[in-house]
Amino acid sequence: GEATFDIMGMAATDFPEIPTVSAENSFKVEGKLFASMKKGTAFAAAQNEGAKPILTGINISVCDNVIQFVAIDGYRLAIKREPVKQINDLEFTVTSKSLNEAVKLISDENEKVEINVGDRLICFNINGYSFISRLLEGEFVNYEKIIPAEYKQTAVMNSSEIINTVERVSLLINDTFSTPVRCVFEPEDVTISCATSMGRAKEIYRMNLNGEPFEIGLNSRYLLDALKACDQGDVLFRYMLLW
């Protein structure tokens, strides 16, 4: 039928001016590489600002033709490095949410992502779009001092197989019955188990351990987030008791 709408508007001159970001610190990376770097680290960024807003961001640095993404939320740390060519050294921290939105604009893995870094803003030019976000101010966490220089125990596992094992054992874990998964590493296998008031689950995964046997409890969601962020193939587990 007949319909009439009166909608309030505003003068175009009153619309906030679109900020500009200097192209002085500008570089390009492959869309596939950019998406992979984000996937490998964004899960470890803090989801709410709380006391340290800097933890909601991902620290991006380029040094000696290597680009590095780092995220840390106080419980876990994710680092991903990849070689790049002809990029000037620089470092900045951008919110994880901004990187998630920027990656959504990538329609072709082969297209280039142009990144312009200003004093307080960053601009992603992707597929004809310009996405501008603020940079996080302040010094990023000194994560390097908490990474062990050497490890006493190491083991190699297939990522997809160990993901399936952890997911099956974690079926008894939920918000009501929250408990870590127990991992007992022996010379030729690792026993992954959990026990809640709903029941018990245990599964043995065959692998070879280099070093002394050990036992550790892990948050299943944290463990799965890290494993799923890895590329398909083998995953190297390294263990060092820090206290």
Side-chain angles (χ1 to χ4, degrees), residues 76 166 173 178-181 217-225:
R76 50 192 173 165
V166 175
I173 302 174
S178 179
T179 184
V181 292
L218 297 169
N219 181 304
S220 61
R221 181 172 64 84
Y222 287 178
L223 179 57
L224 287 171
D225 284 346

Side-chain angles (χ1 to χ4, degrees), residues 154 171 203:
T154 62
L171 289 174
E203 188 164 333

